[in-house]
DNA sequence: GGAATAGTTCGACGATCGTCGAACGTTGGG
DNA sequence: CCCAACGTTCGACGATCGTCGAACTATTCC
């Protein structure tokens, strides 16, 4: 059986996205790294897929920050949590912001 | 008499600018407000010119953060400190970043 | 020289942050 | 049913943050 658990995690809706929160979420090196991987993956990635330099509890914390800032969407699938960038919503609120940051981070 | 005091304050050079520091500097509402005023002013503005919701010591602190992140340039003129956005340097390191953030903040 | 102007520096404070490890769910497979 | 896999939650910790007021510095003007 599989119920939809995606709505159980509070994701802010598009209009609630705050620039300050997004910038703060992106200002941490670990979280920026996560966002970069997510961008390259161009799809959904599980937490374990990331070669992060921190323990799992810390990683879990960072994913929560990204989710609550509205940067990523999180979905439950079995024991894994799949994450994806909310590019559409971010681009609607802050056009070009994520792309610009990713390009800046890539160099 | 007037010596050049501009070099006494440590401004990071263009190549030293760190994306994380810049994003963190811009993630604070007061600092974002300063940057917005600076952008609209299109030139140099003294600290006192800003209608900030904080005391002068706090304002001084925020200007320091912006300066050390490389977002603004500070220059001494008499008793005043004149500030200006380092758009050229920022655009060289992180093309379009400041403009995108400012456009996002404007809405 | 003295007063006024414009900011900085210096603790201090409570709040938030990033990190960890241990314990706790939850799901899927033998 | 039990165990392994995958993450979350829960303190706890030291570090950083944003804020303030008081004292200080530097410059200008009378």
């Amino acid at each position: 059986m599989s119920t939809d658990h995606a709505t159980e995690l509070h994701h802010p809706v598009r209009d609630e996205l705050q620039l300050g929160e997004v910038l703060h979420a992106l200002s941490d090196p670990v979280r920026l790294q996560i966002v970069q991987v997510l961008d390259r993956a161009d799809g959904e990635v599980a937490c374990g897929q990331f070669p992060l330099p921190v323990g799992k509890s810390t990683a879990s914390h960072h994913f929560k920050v990204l989710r609550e800032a509205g940067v990523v969407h999180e979905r439950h699938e079995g024991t894994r949590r799949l994450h994806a960038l909310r590019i559409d919503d971010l681009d609607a609120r802050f056009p070009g912001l994520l792309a610009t940051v990713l390009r800046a981070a890539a160099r």
Side-chain angles (χ1 to χ4, degrees), chain A:
Chain A
M1 175 193 63
S2 69
T3 46
D4 188 5
H5 291 259
T7 48
E8 293 177 8
L9 304 86
H10 1 115
H11 294 82
V13 296
R14 179 176 293 191
D15 296 335
E16 289 173 351
L17 301 194
Q18 301 293 325
L19 179 59
E21 288 184 29
V22 172
L23 292 178
H24 171 250
L26 297 176
S27 71
D28 180 88
V30 175
R31 289 192 291 262
L32 195 51
Q33 189 176 335
I34 292 176
V35 171
Q36 282 183 283
V37 173
L38 243 30
D39 176 58
R40 279 175 169 74
D42 196 55
E44 295 177 312
V45 182
C47 298
Q49 242 77 347
F50 297 81
L52 297 178
V54 293
K56 352 186 253 178
S57 60
T58 302
S60 184
H61 162 69
H62 285 308
F63 281 109
K64 187 179 179 184
V65 172
L66 286 170
R67 174 168 49 86
E68 291 181 341
V71 178
V72 308
H73 179 265
E74 190 173 336
R75 190 169 68 87
H76 287 205
E77 190 188 79
T79 84
R80 306 202 306 295
R81 270 83 174 138
L82 298 178
H83 299 266
L85 285 179
R86 291 179 59 182
I87 15 180
D88 294 353
D89 291 326
L90 285 168
D91 241 45
R93 274 282 282 174
F94 314 122
L97 179 61
L98 190 57
T100 308
V101 171
L102 281 169
R103 199 168 317 125
R107 36 145 304 135

